[in-house]
Amino acid sequence: MSMFNSMRISASGLSAERLRMDTITSNMSNATTTRGKDGKPYVRKVAVFQESLDNEKGLNGVKAVGILEDKSPLRTVFDPSHPDANKEGYVTMPNVNVLNEMADMISASRSYEANVDTLNASKSMFMKSLEIGR
């Protein structure tokens, strides 16, 4: 096992949580987008990760598999004055719940902080071991 494996794992976690936060930010920004480029309402996105285990190369951690669309149904809101309202006055809204997105953002932020702390602890251990060798 390489001396820097813990740093590589933390770095992969940082990248993963950054992608997760970017995806959440996109969801929150488009929470009221009723018409995108395709003419349809925005659909919530979810970042998907999997563990990355490559013992031959010593590369372990997390890798992004992709960003998938949430399959939950879109919301309908009664607003006859909205330009995208149908004949009955209902508007199809994105399936984004801002409160859930905020909770996910807090979770991603805390995970990011934990990876930074782990990276700093590893760095500190390496610095101490270099001082011992003096």
Side-chain angles (χ1 to χ4, degrees):
M1 181 177 210
S2 171
M3 187 167 92
F4 296 104
N5 264 357
S6 64
M7 294 181 104
R8 285 190 194 106
I9 292 169
S10 293
S12 72
L14 288 171
S15 296
E17 293 305 330
R18 172 66 190 261
L19 177 64
R20 185 173 164 210
M21 286 190 279
D22 288 345
T23 305
I24 293 167
T25 302
S26 174
N27 290 340
M28 291 176 67
S29 298
N30 291 295
T32 59
T33 302
T34 58
R35 189 181 331 157
K37 292 179 185 177
D38 59 356
K40 298 178 182 175
Y42 178 82
V43 177
R44 180 178 182 259
K45 310 284 189 287
V46 179
V48 180
F49 308 110
Q50 77 177 38
E51 63 183 335
S52 174
L53 298 174
D54 188 352
N55 292 329
E56 289 179 13
K57 295 180 183 176
L59 300 174
N60 297 321
V62 177
K63 68 177 179 178
V65 176
I67 297 177
L68 302 178
E69 290 187 348
D70 188 356
K71 302 288 184 195
S72 62
L74 299 173
R75 297 179 299 127
T76 55
V77 176
F78 183 73
D79 186 2
S81 64
H82 195 283
D84 292 329
N86 62 14
K87 294 174 187 174
E88 291 84 28
Y90 287 95
V91 180
T92 304
M93 299 294 287
N95 56 349
V96 176
N97 182 335
V98 178
L99 294 176
N100 288 346
E101 297 299 323
M102 284 301 298
D104 286 346
M105 182 64 87
I106 291 169
S107 172
S109 175
R110 297 257 169 91
S111 297
Y112 191 91
E113 289 172 11
N115 279 302
V116 168
D117 289 344
T118 303
L119 195 62
N120 286 334
S122 296
K123 182 177 124 184
S124 177
M125 285 190 296
F126 293 143
M127 294 303 292
K128 290 291 184 187
S129 64
L130 287 173
E131 288 176 12
I132 291 172
R134 286 187 187 178

